[in-house]
Amino acid sequence: MSAAYEALRAEAGPPREARERPLLRVDLTTSSVAAGADGTLSRLRESIAARGLDVEIVRVGSLGLSFAEPTVELQRPGRLPVVYGPLPAEEVEDFLDAVLGTARSEAGGDDRRWAIGVRGGDGQAGEGQEGVPPLSAHPFWAPQQRRVMELMGVIDPESLSEALAGGRYAGLDRALEMEPRAICDLIEAAGVGGRGGGGFPAGRKWKFLLGAPGPDKYMLCNADEGDPGAFVNRILMESDPHLVIEGMAIAGLATGAERGVVYIRDEYPLSVARMQRAVDEAAAAGLLGGDLLGSGRAFRLEVVRGAGSYVCGEETGLIASLEGLRGMPKIRPPFPAQRGVFGLPSNVNNTETYAHVPPALLHGADWYREFGTEADAGTKMFSIGGALRRTGIVEVPFGSSMRELLEEIGGGVPDGGAAKGIQPGGPLGGLLNADDLGLDLERPPFTERGVLLGSGGLILFDERACAVDLALYFSEFCEDESCGRCTTCHGGSQRLVEMLGRITRGGGRAADLERLGVVDRTLQNANCLHGQFTPYAIRAALRHFREEVELHVLERRCPARACRGLIRHRVTDASDPALAEAAALCPTEAISGDDASGRAIDEAACVQCGLCAELAPAAVAVEDRFPVAAAAPA
Amino acid sequence: MRCVTNGANGGERTDAGDLTPAQRDRVAAALADVEPGKGNLLPALHRVQHELGWVPRAAMTLVARRLGISEAQVYGPATFYSEFRLTPPPASLLTWCSGPTCRVLGGERIKLILEETLDCRLGENGPNDDYGLWLGQCNGTCEQAPQVWLNGRVVGKLGLADAARLARRLRDGETADAIAPPPADAVEIQPALVRRGETP
């Protein structure tokens, strides 16, 4: 350990815990704020002050338990911390009665109402305490292997001291003693692969940059996480930003790049703020800048905000954006390692990739490979959501079963519903049938099924979702986000949207089944992956949901009743009183009549939004607009 | 690629009006420490938007001069990236999340109900610019799906009737901040919204 690092660690002190007074950790991230965590925090502050309690309140990142937000964690001196949630602002008073009042029964409250589990001092295990089971026994937590998520939800993401106390920058300190090539070798031997979806070995990629001539090189972090439904990088930056910074600095030392940029999508303002703060604090402490920990070596880092463009997640698009141009991808070669940002050799890795670097460097290749598969070593963060009981962020070994991830950790479809399929890897990732739930979470089995594992977003959908509607949705997304440089891509995606739109409105033609394939093959000539992967959704729908697509095209029927052009709503019980509210709220005022005369839907005015069926399910039937029987009148 | 007639921020405002002297000063102050060069274009445009709430054409001219690049080099990216607003934001902004988790849970129908009830299409403002219905990109708060944002605050787990009721309150004159009041410790989870955009 260098003297400079030792001094920083000494100054930071030991990890924060409840010593003399209770410690209340409040998860303050985008996910928890969406559930009202900032309101909960305000109420906690007010109530604790009003009660004259001596409680230390600290803001932390996310444990990944999005389904239980807002979460808080209370540690009383001499006890293990207990995680609670959801705790909405209006339940704060009752909660404080229960946890900081007298005995449970006397206080009239029972903290077990909110308790999720007892978190062990090591962040992994726990013994259980006072009737609250250990978090490690919770189905969401038990199968996880939290390596990069070790400190997430435990430390204050806006405090360098807490990051240092948790061991951050020990990897950087070690890397400063190593030769650049030795760092690349170690990361390559560990098998740290690109977490954006490509899986390319980071150590090997770095060697391209190490071999590039000249002193001016750039290390770039792709934090553009544009895949809707994926939020792995966001949680990482909001919860443990110093881990990403440390990984980038090590990559800088490994390649001779003395400058770095974190490019963060504009839709993540809290990530931008926390990364910027972390960079500033690290620079002030000598962990970034012209003299890393007194070694004389340099790595300067800046944070750049994107401005809303999906293709900037493609590395050459990202580079164009950093140069102040429209974010249009370029044809490779030249690869970024030859000619990157501002024409200088550059390396682009995903945010999570950098987060895996410090632990791999500290613990070595064998440790790193203890988890994972031949194709994909180590662990991977996944964001899971959709028709799922427990939405959240988890870290599991590559090669874990998707069924375990979605059904055990995620709890499967709520209310005992049946899963219909999975949408992996964002808009370019395709669709999978629920029959494939047993796939292992590594790239090869996904590629074999014609889909992408991608950057870690997995969306489970149930019988309410329609494969054709989803293919249309993703085609529309890709059309809108096409950069417009190559006609193949923007024209091809337009054709897909036109054809799928026509099919969902009842205009399907038998030849469409063939022609969708023609558009797909044509799109393979697009300049970049955006265009080439645009047809993945419809290709996967044709492969894994063939029957459903054929029903749309050939019989004009949507079994999921999702495609509005193929269904109609009809009143089956005109006197149902629930129809009164439906009539009052109907956005197109399509429900006529009154309680006395009964009510009916005016077909010409109805837009098939389904609001009436939600409010009066017993009185409104959802039917095929083009019933098969009607084609053959008696 | 954002098409100027069909983007997240609606059609492009074509007025070539100039900024007021006070606005020019504010933009100049916001750009004062931005170094010339193309690489600072995105930060410069973000500053303008932060200052004025949107990016008027006339401000693009000031950015071009400050960075020493042509107006075309500013105009291209300013209209390419969907987070730069080319029209002033309304006082109450209802943002509809376009993400896939919302989609599989009924988001498309919520959009339809909002459009019909508010009588404006996605990307447009209502009468008098009191409220607007704009497209939002998924920010990964999918446990709240399907959701919308009222001046950046998430209103989630919406049923279809919930969406209709919410839209009616806006249409009938309630403000976004009245419907979803920010708490004392409010954290911005959407790009900073300057509440009342100023027209030059």
Side-chain angles (χ1 to χ4, degrees), chain A residues 162-187:
Chain A
E162 283 210 43
L164 284 166
R168 294 288 166 259
Y169 297 103
L172 174 66
D173 189 48
R174 173 85 56 87
L176 282 165
E177 297 166 358
M178 297 170 70
E179 288 297 316
R181 187 162 291 275
I183 303 175
C184 294
D185 285 339
L186 193 159
I187 297 301

Side-chain angles (χ1 to χ4, degrees), chain B:
Chain B
M1 176 177 64
R2 186 175 56 187
C3 170
V4 289
T5 56
N6 186 26
N9 299 346
E12 195 207 345
R13 183 161 290 225
T14 50
D15 56 25
D18 208 350
L19 302 169
T20 63
Q23 285 176 323
R24 296 181 73 89
D25 290 348
R26 282 164 60 197
V27 170
L31 297 176
D33 62 337
V34 177
E35 298 282 324
K38 236 171 22 182
N40 292 317
L41 178 59
L42 260 52
L45 288 171
H46 277 305
R47 285 177 185 220
V48 170
Q49 180 151 299
H50 187 77
E51 195 57 40
L52 300 180
W54 62 298
V55 185
R57 254 313 283 283
M60 295 183 201
T61 310
L62 297 182
V63 169
R65 281 189 206 142
R66 175 73 213 172
L67 298 183
I69 57 181
S70 75
E71 281 188 59
Q73 287 172 313
V74 177
Y75 183 81
T79 54
F80 177 88
Y81 294 99
S82 57
E83 293 295 318
F84 293 128
R85 307 187 189 104
L86 306 175
T87 55
S92 291
L93 180 58
L94 182 62
T95 313
W96 168 79
C97 177
S98 62
T101 306
C102 288
R103 178 78 170 206
V104 303
L105 298 174
E108 195 263 344
R109 287 163 187 230
I110 286 177
K111 179 185 81 170
L112 180 72
I113 288 169
L114 297 175
E115 286 182 331
E116 292 290 345
T117 308
L118 290 170
D119 200 21
C120 63
R121 300 293 104 185
L122 195 64
E124 294 175 358
N125 292 350
N128 311 323
D129 288 345
D130 286 344
Y131 57 79
L133 175 64
W134 291 8
L135 180 143
Q137 294 292 349
C138 176
N139 68 2
T141 55
C142 303
E143 66 283 352
Q144 301 297 327
Q147 60 174 278
V148 295
W149 313 321
L150 271 170
N151 279 3
R153 293 200 65 78
V154 170
V155 182
K157 297 182 180 168
L158 282 178
L160 301 175
D162 300 330
R165 291 192 193 100
L166 179 69
R168 278 168 182 244
R169 291 174 71 179
L170 266 185
R171 186 193 64 188
D172 296 343
E174 273 190 80
T175 64
D177 287 346
I179 299 171
D185 293 280
V187 174
E188 292 276 2
I189 65 166
Q190 292 301 319
L193 176 71
V194 176
R195 293 293 145 104
R196 208 167 277 282
E198 295 171 54
T199 328

Side-chain angles (χ1 to χ4, degrees), chain A residues 30-254:
Chain A
T30 300
S31 291
S32 67
V33 170
D38 45 1
T40 298
L41 175 65
S42 293
R43 285 292 285 276
L44 283 166
R45 285 211 173 113
E46 288 159 20
S47 302
I48 285 171
R51 290 165 186 241
L53 295 169
D54 186 20
V55 178
E56 182 180 9
I57 301 179
V58 59
R59 157 201 53 216
V60 294
S62 173
L63 290 167
L65 312 165
S66 308
F67 65 94
E69 300 291 3
T71 59
V72 300
E73 183 185 275
L74 181 75
Q75 184 180 16
R76 284 168 289 179
R79 315 268 189 93
L80 291 169
V82 182
V83 181
Y84 297 98
L87 179 64
E90 52 274 18
E91 292 176 18
V92 161
E93 297 293 341
D94 289 347
F95 173 75
L96 289 176
D97 285 344
V99 295
L100 294 171
T102 47
R104 264 178 191 148
S105 52
E106 290 169 44
D110 187 335
D111 65 320
R112 282 173 291 188
R113 185 178 142 198
W114 298 276
I116 300 170
V118 177
R119 191 171 59 79
D122 59 356
Q124 294 279 349
E127 285 303 301
Q129 180 175 275
E130 291 155 16
V132 178
L135 192 55
S136 55
H138 193 287
F140 189 84
W141 198 275
Q144 294 195 50
Q145 292 296 339
R146 295 164 72 97
R147 285 179 163 181
V148 294
M149 291 179 74
E150 186 192 0
L151 297 182
M152 284 177 49
V154 178
I155 58 165
D156 178 353
E158 301 189 22
S159 160
L160 174 62
S161 298
E162 283 210 43
L164 284 166
R168 294 288 166 259
Y169 297 103
L172 174 66
D173 189 48
R174 173 85 56 87
L176 282 165
E177 297 166 358
M178 297 170 70
E179 288 297 316
R181 187 162 291 275
I183 303 175
C184 294
D185 285 339
L186 193 159
I187 297 301
E188 188 174 356
V192 178
R195 293 303 199 274
F200 194 83
R204 202 180 307 160
K205 195 169 182 178
W206 294 356
K207 284 180 184 170
F208 298 141
L209 190 65
L210 178 63
D216 281 340
K217 308 174 189 178
Y218 271 92
M219 188 58 59
L220 308 177
C221 175
N222 183 349
D224 194 54
E225 196 165 51
D227 286 345
F231 41 105
V232 163
N233 293 347
R234 194 202 79 215
I235 291 273
L236 191 50
M237 291 185 284
E238 289 177 1
S239 303
D240 194 358
H242 289 285
L243 181 61
V244 178
I245 295 172
E246 183 185 0
M248 288 192 73
I250 293 170
L253 293 175

Side-chain angles (χ1 to χ4, degrees), chain A residues 404-427:
Chain A
E404 181 183 56
L405 177 62
L406 294 174
E407 293 189 346
E408 286 171 38
I409 296 180
V413 178
D415 307 320
K420 175 172 175 174
I422 308 106
Q423 201 283 306

